[in-house]
Structures are given as structure tokens and as C-alpha cells.
Amino acid sequence: MGRGKFSDERYDEIKQEVIDMFEECEIDTYPIDCFEIARKLHYVLHPYSTLDAAGYLEAITISPDAFSRVEQNSETGMFEYVIYYNDQDYNIGHIRWSIFHEIGHCVLGHHDNPPGNEEREEDEANFFAKYAMTPPPLLNVTRCSCPSDVEEKFNTSGEFSGYAYEYFQVWLHKGPRDYQDFEIRLLQLFHFTISAA
């Protein structure tokens, strides 16, 4: 096992899923746009403010932040991922994190899993969201020197920027000495010239 809630290998798999997603969606600027990613992945976004009273009550009961599920499109008959998110009670940084968290559930295939692994799936989606919003290699090359730098450059909430900066410091001081291959891919995607060691 690794230093966190699952193995180092699983953390690296999730990081690579994020980078694959950026490449598929042609994301190459920051702050990283969760709305554009959802659009390009053909995930449907429903803000809570567009729901009727009964729908809003159901949504807020399921989650005060956001949730996702597979629904059948009544017009096409196709099944699709739908992400519902609370756009009324939180700032944009929190909303973006919530959407990335739900994108993580979809990308990582959690909706296809049988019940029983919800805690692990939440941990994986949390990590996916953190890495998608604030990949440490990007924090490094953009010279984030404090949580407020993270908040300003990556459009995060103040609370999240502290967690992201703390994770960045762990990555900086306890991770591999050189960029890994997938981190080089990430930086090149965002137009930073980095060569392998």
C-alpha cells in the first residue's frame, strides 16, 4: 500500500485517467474548465436552480453539493451521464470541485460497479477532482508559492486551495525527484517544455 488511502499504483492510474481526459477533451489552459470537459464528454449538466420544487427537494436530499447518475434520454433513448450540481449555495470554486468530483465518478466507471464500495469510490472521486483542478506539476511550473496563488491561478475555493497546496508540498518534497512520463505529457499538453531526465 502507498502513503494514502489506496496503493501508489492506483493513485498513478487516476492521475493518468485525468491526463487522458485532458487530451481527449483538448484541454490545455488553466483554470481547467469542468464545464467544457463535461460538454466534450457528452455529460449532461443540470444546475439545481433549473429544477422544479419536487426535483430540487430530491436533489438537495441526495446531496447538498452535487450528484451524478445514468439516465435514459427521453428523446434519443440513449443512456447518458447526468450531473446535478448546486449552483445556488456555493461559490464557483466549490461548484467546480463538485462537478469535477462527479466527472471522476463517471470517468472512473463507478456507476457500473455493484454496491458496496461507496467509501472507496468517494475517496477516488475526491482524488480525481483534486488532481484535475490542481495538478501538482502545473502548480510547480506556475510557481504557486502559497494557497492564495492556487486560489487565484486555478479558480479554487479558499478552503480547497489550502488542501491543494498541502498536497503540492507533499508531492514536491516526498515524490520522485524527476517528472514521471505522464507528468511530462501533462506539462507538454499545457505548452510547457519539459524534457525527461
Side-chain angles (χ1 to χ4, degrees), residues 96-130:
R96 291 177 63 249
W97 185 88
S98 297
I99 292 172
F100 270 123
H101 177 94
E102 297 307 324
I103 289 174
H105 281 306
C106 300
V107 168
L108 298 174
H110 293 163
H111 293 291
D112 301 324
N113 294 342
N117 290 307
E118 289 81 8
E119 185 175 341
R120 179 185 174 90
E121 290 170 354
E122 285 301 303
D123 290 339
E124 289 187 351
N126 283 340
F127 182 74
F128 183 100
K130 177 169 61 176

PDB file of all heavy atoms in Angstrom, residues 96-130:
ATOM      1  N   ARG A  96     -17.072  24.127  -9.039  1.00  0.00           N
ATOM      2  CA  ARG A  96     -16.154  23.458  -9.960  1.00  0.00           C
ATOM      3  C   ARG A  96     -15.633  22.161  -9.346  1.00  0.00           C
ATOM      4  O   ARG A  96     -15.557  21.131 -10.020  1.00  0.00           O
ATOM      5  CB  ARG A  96     -15.001  24.384 -10.344  1.00  0.00           C
ATOM      6  CG  ARG A  96     -15.437  25.564 -11.217  1.00  0.00           C
ATOM      7  CD  ARG A  96     -14.279  26.515 -11.531  1.00  0.00           C
ATOM      8  NE  ARG A  96     -13.261  25.841 -12.306  1.00  0.00           N
ATOM      9  CZ  ARG A  96     -12.043  25.535 -11.839  1.00  0.00           C
ATOM     10  NH1 ARG A  96     -11.693  25.851 -10.610  1.00  0.00           N
ATOM     11  NH2 ARG A  96     -11.172  24.927 -12.620  1.00  0.00           N
ATOM     12  N   TRP A  97     -15.272  22.209  -8.066  1.00  0.00           N
ATOM     13  CA  TRP A  97     -14.782  20.985  -7.411  1.00  0.00           C
ATOM     14  C   TRP A  97     -15.873  19.915  -7.401  1.00  0.00           C
ATOM     15  O   TRP A  97     -15.598  18.744  -7.697  1.00  0.00           O
ATOM     16  CB  TRP A  97     -14.329  21.280  -5.976  1.00  0.00           C
ATOM     17  CG  TRP A  97     -13.718  20.071  -5.345  1.00  0.00           C
ATOM     18  CD1 TRP A  97     -12.416  19.689  -5.397  1.00  0.00           C
ATOM     19  CD2 TRP A  97     -14.399  19.053  -4.608  1.00  0.00           C
ATOM     20  NE1 TRP A  97     -12.255  18.489  -4.739  1.00  0.00           N
ATOM     21  CE2 TRP A  97     -13.444  18.082  -4.252  1.00  0.00           C
ATOM     22  CE3 TRP A  97     -15.733  18.870  -4.224  1.00  0.00           C
ATOM     23  CZ2 TRP A  97     -13.775  16.946  -3.516  1.00  0.00           C
ATOM     24  CZ3 TRP A  97     -16.061  17.738  -3.496  1.00  0.00           C
ATOM     25  CH2 TRP A  97     -15.093  16.794  -3.145  1.00  0.00           C
ATOM     26  N   SER A  98     -17.100  20.304  -7.103  1.00  0.00           N
ATOM     27  CA  SER A  98     -18.209  19.342  -7.067  1.00  0.00           C
ATOM     28  C   SER A  98     -18.420  18.692  -8.433  1.00  0.00           C
ATOM     29  O   SER A  98     -18.645  17.477  -8.523  1.00  0.00           O
ATOM     30  CB  SER A  98     -19.502  20.029  -6.615  1.00  0.00           C
ATOM     31  OG  SER A  98     -19.382  20.512  -5.292  1.00  0.00           O
ATOM     32  N   ILE A  99     -18.342  19.493  -9.490  1.00  0.00           N
ATOM     33  CA  ILE A  99     -18.522  18.944 -10.831  1.00  0.00           C
ATOM     34  C   ILE A  99     -17.369  18.013 -11.188  1.00  0.00           C
ATOM     35  O   ILE A  99     -17.580  16.918 -11.731  1.00  0.00           O
ATOM     36  CB  ILE A  99     -18.689  20.078 -11.863  1.00  0.00           C
ATOM     37  CG1 ILE A  99     -20.022  20.797 -11.629  1.00  0.00           C
ATOM     38  CG2 ILE A  99     -18.609  19.532 -13.300  1.00  0.00           C
ATOM     39  CD1 ILE A  99     -20.206  22.051 -12.455  1.00  0.00           C
ATOM     40  N   PHE A 100     -16.140  18.416 -10.875  1.00  0.00           N
ATOM     41  CA  PHE A 100     -15.003  17.526 -11.133  1.00  0.00           C
ATOM     42  C   PHE A 100     -15.134  16.212 -10.367  1.00  0.00           C
ATOM     43  O   PHE A 100     -14.780  15.148 -10.877  1.00  0.00           O
ATOM     44  CB  PHE A 100     -13.680  18.211 -10.779  1.00  0.00           C
ATOM     45  CG  PHE A 100     -13.070  18.975 -11.918  1.00  0.00           C
ATOM     46  CD1 PHE A 100     -12.791  20.323 -11.794  1.00  0.00           C
ATOM     47  CD2 PHE A 100     -12.753  18.336 -13.110  1.00  0.00           C
ATOM     48  CE1 PHE A 100     -12.214  21.033 -12.843  1.00  0.00           C
ATOM     49  CE2 PHE A 100     -12.174  19.038 -14.164  1.00  0.00           C
ATOM     50  CZ  PHE A 100     -11.903  20.391 -14.028  1.00  0.00           C
ATOM     51  N   HIS A 101     -15.625  16.285  -9.139  1.00  0.00           N
ATOM     52  CA  HIS A 101     -15.838  15.075  -8.333  1.00  0.00           C
ATOM     53  C   HIS A 101     -16.806  14.133  -9.053  1.00  0.00           C
ATOM     54  O   HIS A 101     -16.542  12.922  -9.158  1.00  0.00           O
ATOM     55  CB  HIS A 101     -16.384  15.479  -6.961  1.00  0.00           C
ATOM     56  CG  HIS A 101     -16.720  14.330  -6.069  1.00  0.00           C
ATOM     57  ND1 HIS A 101     -15.834  13.829  -5.149  1.00  0.00           N
ATOM     58  CD2 HIS A 101     -17.848  13.589  -5.953  1.00  0.00           C
ATOM     59  CE1 HIS A 101     -16.414  12.805  -4.500  1.00  0.00           C
ATOM     60  NE2 HIS A 101     -17.639  12.650  -4.976  1.00  0.00           N
ATOM     61  N   GLU A 102     -17.889  14.669  -9.573  1.00  0.00           N
ATOM     62  CA  GLU A 102     -18.868  13.828 -10.272  1.00  0.00           C
ATOM     63  C   GLU A 102     -18.335  13.346 -11.620  1.00  0.00           C
ATOM     64  O   GLU A 102     -18.604  12.200 -12.017  1.00  0.00           O
ATOM     65  CB  GLU A 102     -20.189  14.579 -10.444  1.00  0.00           C
ATOM     66  CG  GLU A 102     -20.871  14.948  -9.136  1.00  0.00           C
ATOM     67  CD  GLU A 102     -21.062  13.768  -8.193  1.00  0.00           C
ATOM     68  OE1 GLU A 102     -21.333  12.641  -8.674  1.00  0.00           O
ATOM     69  OE2 GLU A 102     -20.936  13.962  -6.973  1.00  0.00           O
ATOM     70  N   ILE A 103     -17.581  14.173 -12.322  1.00  0.00           N
ATOM     71  CA  ILE A 103     -16.917  13.704 -13.544  1.00  0.00           C
ATOM     72  C   ILE A 103     -16.017  12.518 -13.201  1.00  0.00           C
ATOM     73  O   ILE A 103     -15.948  11.531 -13.948  1.00  0.00           O
ATOM     74  CB  ILE A 103     -16.118  14.844 -14.211  1.00  0.00           C
ATOM     75  CG1 ILE A 103     -17.072  15.874 -14.823  1.00  0.00           C
ATOM     76  CG2 ILE A 103     -15.172  14.293 -15.278  1.00  0.00           C
ATOM     77  CD1 ILE A 103     -16.381  17.117 -15.373  1.00  0.00           C
ATOM     78  N   GLY A 104     -15.336  12.602 -12.053  1.00  0.00           N
ATOM     79  CA  GLY A 104     -14.484  11.499 -11.612  1.00  0.00           C
ATOM     80  C   GLY A 104     -15.262  10.205 -11.454  1.00  0.00           C
ATOM     81  O   GLY A 104     -14.811   9.143 -11.903  1.00  0.00           O
ATOM     82  N   HIS A 105     -16.428  10.268 -10.823  1.00  0.00           N
ATOM     83  CA  HIS A 105     -17.257   9.063 -10.690  1.00  0.00           C
ATOM     84  C   HIS A 105     -17.565   8.460 -12.067  1.00  0.00           C
ATOM     85  O   HIS A 105     -17.525   7.240 -12.246  1.00  0.00           O
ATOM     86  CB  HIS A 105     -18.573   9.389  -9.980  1.00  0.00           C
ATOM     87  CG  HIS A 105     -18.480   9.501  -8.498  1.00  0.00           C
ATOM     88  ND1 HIS A 105     -17.949   8.513  -7.699  1.00  0.00           N
ATOM     89  CD2 HIS A 105     -18.880  10.499  -7.648  1.00  0.00           C
ATOM     90  CE1 HIS A 105     -18.014   8.879  -6.429  1.00  0.00           C
ATOM     91  NE2 HIS A 105     -18.574  10.087  -6.377  1.00  0.00           N
ATOM     92  N   CYS A 106     -17.876   9.323 -13.030  1.00  0.00           N
ATOM     93  CA  CYS A 106     -18.229   8.845 -14.372  1.00  0.00           C
ATOM     94  C   CYS A 106     -17.012   8.272 -15.096  1.00  0.00           C
ATOM     95  O   CYS A 106     -17.069   7.151 -15.625  1.00  0.00           O
ATOM     96  CB  CYS A 106     -18.846   9.980 -15.189  1.00  0.00           C
ATOM     97  SG  CYS A 106     -20.355  10.692 -14.474  1.00  0.00           S
ATOM     98  N   VAL A 107     -15.922   9.009 -15.125  1.00  0.00           N
ATOM     99  CA  VAL A 107     -14.717   8.582 -15.842  1.00  0.00           C
ATOM    100  C   VAL A 107     -14.150   7.295 -15.249  1.00  0.00           C
ATOM    101  O   VAL A 107     -13.681   6.409 -15.980  1.00  0.00           O
ATOM    102  CB  VAL A 107     -13.655   9.708 -15.842  1.00  0.00           C
ATOM    103  CG1 VAL A 107     -12.302   9.197 -16.317  1.00  0.00           C
ATOM    104  CG2 VAL A 107     -14.116  10.876 -16.710  1.00  0.00           C
ATOM    105  N   LEU A 108     -14.197   7.181 -13.933  1.00  0.00           N
ATOM    106  CA  LEU A 108     -13.624   6.007 -13.268  1.00  0.00           C
ATOM    107  C   LEU A 108     -14.562   4.797 -13.265  1.00  0.00           C
ATOM    108  O   LEU A 108     -14.229   3.759 -12.714  1.00  0.00           O
ATOM    109  CB  LEU A 108     -13.218   6.370 -11.831  1.00  0.00           C
ATOM    110  CG  LEU A 108     -12.129   7.450 -11.717  1.00  0.00           C
ATOM    111  CD1 LEU A 108     -11.907   7.839 -10.257  1.00  0.00           C
ATOM    112  CD2 LEU A 108     -10.819   6.987 -12.359  1.00  0.00           C
ATOM    113  N   GLY A 109     -15.740   4.943 -13.872  1.00  0.00           N
ATOM    114  CA  GLY A 109     -16.645   3.813 -14.028  1.00  0.00           C
ATOM    115  C   GLY A 109     -17.397   3.410 -12.785  1.00  0.00           C
ATOM    116  O   GLY A 109     -17.912   2.293 -12.696  1.00  0.00           O
ATOM    117  N   HIS A 110     -17.517   4.304 -11.826  1.00  0.00           N
ATOM    118  CA  HIS A 110     -18.160   3.949 -10.556  1.00  0.00           C
ATOM    119  C   HIS A 110     -19.637   3.607 -10.720  1.00  0.00           C
ATOM    120  O   HIS A 110     -20.179   2.812  -9.962  1.00  0.00           O
ATOM    121  CB  HIS A 110     -17.997   5.081  -9.542  1.00  0.00           C
ATOM    122  CG  HIS A 110     -16.582   5.281  -9.114  1.00  0.00           C
ATOM    123  ND1 HIS A 110     -16.151   6.439  -8.490  1.00  0.00           N
ATOM    124  CD2 HIS A 110     -15.491   4.479  -9.205  1.00  0.00           C
ATOM    125  CE1 HIS A 110     -14.854   6.334  -8.222  1.00  0.00           C
ATOM    126  NE2 HIS A 110     -14.438   5.160  -8.646  1.00  0.00           N
ATOM    127  N   HIS A 111     -20.290   4.202 -11.706  1.00  0.00           N
ATOM    128  CA  HIS A 111     -21.723   3.922 -11.897  1.00  0.00           C
ATOM    129  C   HIS A 111     -21.973   2.513 -12.418  1.00  0.00           C
ATOM    130  O   HIS A 111     -23.108   2.036 -12.390  1.00  0.00           O
ATOM    131  CB  HIS A 111     -22.352   4.969 -12.825  1.00  0.00           C
ATOM    132  CG  HIS A 111     -22.399   6.339 -12.223  1.00  0.00           C
ATOM    133  ND1 HIS A 111     -23.218   6.658 -11.164  1.00  0.00           N
ATOM    134  CD2 HIS A 111     -21.703   7.475 -12.513  1.00  0.00           C
ATOM    135  CE1 HIS A 111     -23.044   7.932 -10.844  1.00  0.00           C
ATOM    136  NE2 HIS A 111     -22.130   8.445 -11.635  1.00  0.00           N
ATOM    137  N   ASP A 112     -20.916   1.872 -12.901  1.00  0.00           N
ATOM    138  CA  ASP A 112     -21.040   0.499 -13.399  1.00  0.00           C
ATOM    139  C   ASP A 112     -20.757  -0.544 -12.317  1.00  0.00           C
ATOM    140  O   ASP A 112     -20.934  -1.737 -12.551  1.00  0.00           O
ATOM    141  CB  ASP A 112     -20.071   0.262 -14.565  1.00  0.00           C
ATOM    142  CG  ASP A 112     -20.325   1.208 -15.728  1.00  0.00           C
ATOM    143  OD1 ASP A 112     -21.510   1.524 -15.973  1.00  0.00           O
ATOM    144  OD2 ASP A 112     -19.363   1.636 -16.374  1.00  0.00           O
ATOM    145  N   ASN A 113     -20.287  -0.095 -11.157  1.00  0.00           N
ATOM    146  CA  ASN A 113     -19.894  -1.025 -10.094  1.00  0.00           C
ATOM    147  C   ASN A 113     -21.089  -1.460  -9.264  1.00  0.00           C
ATOM    148  O   ASN A 113     -22.034  -0.691  -9.062  1.00  0.00           O
ATOM    149  CB  ASN A 113     -18.866  -0.365  -9.162  1.00  0.00           C
ATOM    150  CG  ASN A 113     -17.545  -0.087  -9.859  1.00  0.00           C
ATOM    151  OD1 ASN A 113     -17.256  -0.655 -10.901  1.00  0.00           O
ATOM    152  ND2 ASN A 113     -16.749   0.789  -9.274  1.00  0.00           N
ATOM    153  N   PRO A 114     -21.047  -2.683  -8.731  1.00  0.00           N
ATOM    154  CA  PRO A 114     -22.100  -3.102  -7.795  1.00  0.00           C
ATOM    155  C   PRO A 114     -21.973  -2.322  -6.488  1.00  0.00           C
ATOM    156  O   PRO A 114     -20.896  -1.791  -6.178  1.00  0.00           O
ATOM    157  CB  PRO A 114     -21.813  -4.595  -7.589  1.00  0.00           C
ATOM    158  CG  PRO A 114     -20.367  -4.756  -7.910  1.00  0.00           C
ATOM    159  CD  PRO A 114     -20.046  -3.727  -8.964  1.00  0.00           C
ATOM    160  N   PRO A 115     -23.048  -2.226  -5.710  1.00  0.00           N
ATOM    161  CA  PRO A 115     -22.979  -1.519  -4.419  1.00  0.00           C
ATOM    162  C   PRO A 115     -21.962  -2.189  -3.491  1.00  0.00           C
ATOM    163  O   PRO A 115     -21.651  -3.367  -3.640  1.00  0.00           O
ATOM    164  CB  PRO A 115     -24.400  -1.663  -3.857  1.00  0.00           C
ATOM    165  CG  PRO A 115     -25.259  -1.998  -5.037  1.00  0.00           C
ATOM    166  CD  PRO A 115     -24.384  -2.742  -6.006  1.00  0.00           C
ATOM    167  N   GLY A 116     -21.460  -1.394  -2.554  1.00  0.00           N
ATOM    168  CA  GLY A 116     -20.573  -1.955  -1.541  1.00  0.00           C
ATOM    169  C   GLY A 116     -19.211  -1.307  -1.465  1.00  0.00           C
ATOM    170  O   GLY A 116     -18.466  -1.525  -0.505  1.00  0.00           O
ATOM    171  N   ASN A 117     -18.858  -0.488  -2.470  1.00  0.00           N
ATOM    172  CA  ASN A 117     -17.544   0.159  -2.456  1.00  0.00           C
ATOM    173  C   ASN A 117     -17.668   1.679  -2.433  1.00  0.00           C
ATOM    174  O   ASN A 117     -16.794   2.379  -2.926  1.00  0.00           O
ATOM    175  CB  ASN A 117     -16.729  -0.267  -3.687  1.00  0.00           C
ATOM    176  CG  ASN A 117     -16.310  -1.712  -3.610  1.00  0.00           C
ATOM    177  OD1 ASN A 117     -15.721  -2.140  -2.620  1.00  0.00           O
ATOM    178  ND2 ASN A 117     -16.627  -2.478  -4.642  1.00  0.00           N
ATOM    179  N   GLU A 118     -18.768   2.180  -1.869  1.00  0.00           N
ATOM    180  CA  GLU A 118     -19.043   3.618  -1.945  1.00  0.00           C
ATOM    181  C   GLU A 118     -17.952   4.468  -1.286  1.00  0.00           C
ATOM    182  O   GLU A 118     -17.580   5.522  -1.812  1.00  0.00           O
ATOM    183  CB  GLU A 118     -20.403   3.934  -1.316  1.00  0.00           C
ATOM    184  CG  GLU A 118     -21.588   3.454  -2.126  1.00  0.00           C
ATOM    185  CD  GLU A 118     -21.907   1.968  -1.934  1.00  0.00           C
ATOM    186  OE1 GLU A 118     -21.298   1.328  -1.049  1.00  0.00           O
ATOM    187  OE2 GLU A 118     -22.770   1.458  -2.676  1.00  0.00           O
ATOM    188  N   GLU A 119     -17.423   4.018  -0.152  1.00  0.00           N
ATOM    189  CA  GLU A 119     -16.407   4.817   0.544  1.00  0.00           C
ATOM    190  C   GLU A 119     -15.146   4.936  -0.304  1.00  0.00           C
ATOM    191  O   GLU A 119     -14.590   6.030  -0.465  1.00  0.00           O
ATOM    192  CB  GLU A 119     -16.076   4.191   1.900  1.00  0.00           C
ATOM    193  CG  GLU A 119     -15.122   5.040   2.730  1.00  0.00           C
ATOM    194  CD  GLU A 119     -14.895   4.479   4.126  1.00  0.00           C
ATOM    195  OE1 GLU A 119     -15.704   3.667   4.597  1.00  0.00           O
ATOM    196  OE2 GLU A 119     -13.884   4.873   4.739  1.00  0.00           O
ATOM    197  N   ARG A 120     -14.705   3.818  -0.872  1.00  0.00           N
ATOM    198  CA  ARG A 120     -13.522   3.856  -1.744  1.00  0.00           C
ATOM    199  C   ARG A 120     -13.791   4.719  -2.982  1.00  0.00           C
ATOM    200  O   ARG A 120     -12.926   5.500  -3.413  1.00  0.00           O
ATOM    201  CB  ARG A 120     -13.122   2.444  -2.161  1.00  0.00           C
ATOM    202  CG  ARG A 120     -11.906   2.412  -3.090  1.00  0.00           C
ATOM    203  CD  ARG A 120     -11.611   1.019  -3.591  1.00  0.00           C
ATOM    204  NE  ARG A 120     -10.551   1.029  -4.575  1.00  0.00           N
ATOM    205  CZ  ARG A 120      -9.259   0.901  -4.292  1.00  0.00           C
ATOM    206  NH1 ARG A 120      -8.863   0.758  -3.044  1.00  0.00           N
ATOM    207  NH2 ARG A 120      -8.354   0.912  -5.258  1.00  0.00           N
ATOM    208  N   GLU A 121     -14.980   4.588  -3.557  1.00  0.00           N
ATOM    209  CA  GLU A 121     -15.309   5.370  -4.743  1.00  0.00           C
ATOM    210  C   GLU A 121     -15.334   6.867  -4.436  1.00  0.00           C
ATOM    211  O   GLU A 121     -14.911   7.686  -5.261  1.00  0.00           O
ATOM    212  CB  GLU A 121     -16.645   4.909  -5.325  1.00  0.00           C
ATOM    213  CG  GLU A 121     -16.559   3.522  -5.957  1.00  0.00           C
ATOM    214  CD  GLU A 121     -17.906   2.939  -6.336  1.00  0.00           C
ATOM    215  OE1 GLU A 121     -18.937   3.566  -5.999  1.00  0.00           O
ATOM    216  OE2 GLU A 121     -17.928   1.864  -6.964  1.00  0.00           O
ATOM    217  N   GLU A 122     -15.816   7.237  -3.261  1.00  0.00           N
ATOM    218  CA  GLU A 122     -15.784   8.648  -2.852  1.00  0.00           C
ATOM    219  C   GLU A 122     -14.349   9.139  -2.729  1.00  0.00           C
ATOM    220  O   GLU A 122     -14.015  10.246  -3.169  1.00  0.00           O
ATOM    221  CB  GLU A 122     -16.539   8.847  -1.534  1.00  0.00           C
ATOM    222  CG  GLU A 122     -18.044   8.799  -1.681  1.00  0.00           C
ATOM    223  CD  GLU A 122     -18.573   9.863  -2.633  1.00  0.00           C
ATOM    224  OE1 GLU A 122     -18.310  11.060  -2.407  1.00  0.00           O
ATOM    225  OE2 GLU A 122     -19.233   9.499  -3.624  1.00  0.00           O
ATOM    226  N   ASP A 123     -13.488   8.312  -2.128  1.00  0.00           N
ATOM    227  CA  ASP A 123     -12.074   8.688  -2.000  1.00  0.00           C
ATOM    228  C   ASP A 123     -11.425   8.855  -3.366  1.00  0.00           C
ATOM    229  O   ASP A 123     -10.659   9.791  -3.593  1.00  0.00           O
ATOM    230  CB  ASP A 123     -11.315   7.631  -1.189  1.00  0.00           C
ATOM    231  CG  ASP A 123     -11.704   7.617   0.282  1.00  0.00           C
ATOM    232  OD1 ASP A 123     -12.233   8.644   0.779  1.00  0.00           O
ATOM    233  OD2 ASP A 123     -11.487   6.575   0.939  1.00  0.00           O
ATOM    234  N   GLU A 124     -11.738   7.931  -4.284  1.00  0.00           N
ATOM    235  CA  GLU A 124     -11.166   8.027  -5.621  1.00  0.00           C
ATOM    236  C   GLU A 124     -11.666   9.268  -6.351  1.00  0.00           C
ATOM    237  O   GLU A 124     -10.885   9.973  -7.008  1.00  0.00           O
ATOM    238  CB  GLU A 124     -11.496   6.769  -6.434  1.00  0.00           C
ATOM    239  CG  GLU A 124     -10.756   5.532  -5.984  1.00  0.00           C
ATOM    240  CD  GLU A 124     -10.957   4.336  -6.892  1.00  0.00           C
ATOM    241  OE1 GLU A 124     -11.819   4.396  -7.801  1.00  0.00           O
ATOM    242  OE2 GLU A 124     -10.244   3.337  -6.699  1.00  0.00           O
ATOM    243  N   ALA A 125     -12.956   9.561  -6.247  1.00  0.00           N
ATOM    244  CA  ALA A 125     -13.514  10.748  -6.908  1.00  0.00           C
ATOM    245  C   ALA A 125     -12.950  12.030  -6.295  1.00  0.00           C
ATOM    246  O   ALA A 125     -12.713  13.017  -7.012  1.00  0.00           O
ATOM    247  CB  ALA A 125     -15.034  10.738  -6.836  1.00  0.00           C
ATOM    248  N   ASN A 126     -12.733  12.030  -4.983  1.00  0.00           N
ATOM    249  CA  ASN A 126     -12.105  13.190  -4.332  1.00  0.00           C
ATOM    250  C   ASN A 126     -10.706  13.429  -4.887  1.00  0.00           C
ATOM    251  O   ASN A 126     -10.320  14.560  -5.194  1.00  0.00           O
ATOM    252  CB  ASN A 126     -12.031  12.991  -2.817  1.00  0.00           C
ATOM    253  CG  ASN A 126     -13.351  13.213  -2.129  1.00  0.00           C
ATOM    254  OD1 ASN A 126     -14.251  13.859  -2.668  1.00  0.00           O
ATOM    255  ND2 ASN A 126     -13.497  12.673  -0.927  1.00  0.00           N
ATOM    256  N   PHE A 127      -9.941  12.343  -5.003  1.00  0.00           N
ATOM    257  CA  PHE A 127      -8.576  12.497  -5.516  1.00  0.00           C
ATOM    258  C   PHE A 127      -8.601  12.928  -6.982  1.00  0.00           C
ATOM    259  O   PHE A 127      -7.822  13.791  -7.397  1.00  0.00           O
ATOM    260  CB  PHE A 127      -7.772  11.206  -5.350  1.00  0.00           C
ATOM    261  CG  PHE A 127      -6.354  11.357  -5.816  1.00  0.00           C
ATOM    262  CD1 PHE A 127      -5.432  12.070  -5.071  1.00  0.00           C
ATOM    263  CD2 PHE A 127      -5.956  10.830  -7.036  1.00  0.00           C
ATOM    264  CE1 PHE A 127      -4.136  12.261  -5.526  1.00  0.00           C
ATOM    265  CE2 PHE A 127      -4.661  11.002  -7.499  1.00  0.00           C
ATOM    266  CZ  PHE A 127      -3.744  11.712  -6.737  1.00  0.00           C
ATOM    267  N   PHE A 128      -9.485  12.328  -7.758  1.00  0.00           N
ATOM    268  CA  PHE A 128      -9.635  12.714  -9.162  1.00  0.00           C
ATOM    269  C   PHE A 128      -9.899  14.219  -9.273  1.00  0.00           C
ATOM    270  O   PHE A 128      -9.270  14.917 -10.073  1.00  0.00           O
ATOM    271  CB  PHE A 128     -10.786  11.922  -9.786  1.00  0.00           C
ATOM    272  CG  PHE A 128     -11.001  12.168 -11.256  1.00  0.00           C
ATOM    273  CD1 PHE A 128     -10.529  11.275 -12.193  1.00  0.00           C
ATOM    274  CD2 PHE A 128     -11.707  13.286 -11.695  1.00  0.00           C
ATOM    275  CE1 PHE A 128     -10.738  11.495 -13.557  1.00  0.00           C
ATOM    276  CE2 PHE A 128     -11.916  13.512 -13.044  1.00  0.00           C
ATOM    277  CZ  PHE A 128     -11.428  12.613 -13.980  1.00  0.00           C
ATOM    278  N   ALA A 129     -10.836  14.726  -8.473  1.00  0.00           N
ATOM    279  CA  ALA A 129     -11.182  16.144  -8.521  1.00  0.00           C
ATOM    280  C   ALA A 129      -9.996  17.020  -8.143  1.00  0.00           C
ATOM    281  O   ALA A 129      -9.725  18.038  -8.789  1.00  0.00           O
ATOM    282  CB  ALA A 129     -12.374  16.423  -7.610  1.00  0.00           C
ATOM    283  N   LYS A 130      -9.286  16.621  -7.090  1.00  0.00           N
ATOM    284  CA  LYS A 130      -8.126  17.406  -6.646  1.00  0.00           C
ATOM    285  C   LYS A 130      -7.063  17.453  -7.733  1.00  0.00           C
ATOM    286  O   LYS A 130      -6.528  18.522  -8.047  1.00  0.00           O
ATOM    287  CB  LYS A 130      -7.555  16.802  -5.360  1.00  0.00           C
ATOM    288  CG  LYS A 130      -6.298  17.500  -4.855  1.00  0.00           C
ATOM    289  CD  LYS A 130      -5.900  17.056  -3.461  1.00  0.00           C
ATOM    290  CE  LYS A 130      -5.582  15.587  -3.370  1.00  0.00           C
ATOM    291  NZ  LYS A 130      -5.107  15.213  -2.005  1.00  0.00           N
TER     292      LYS A 130
END
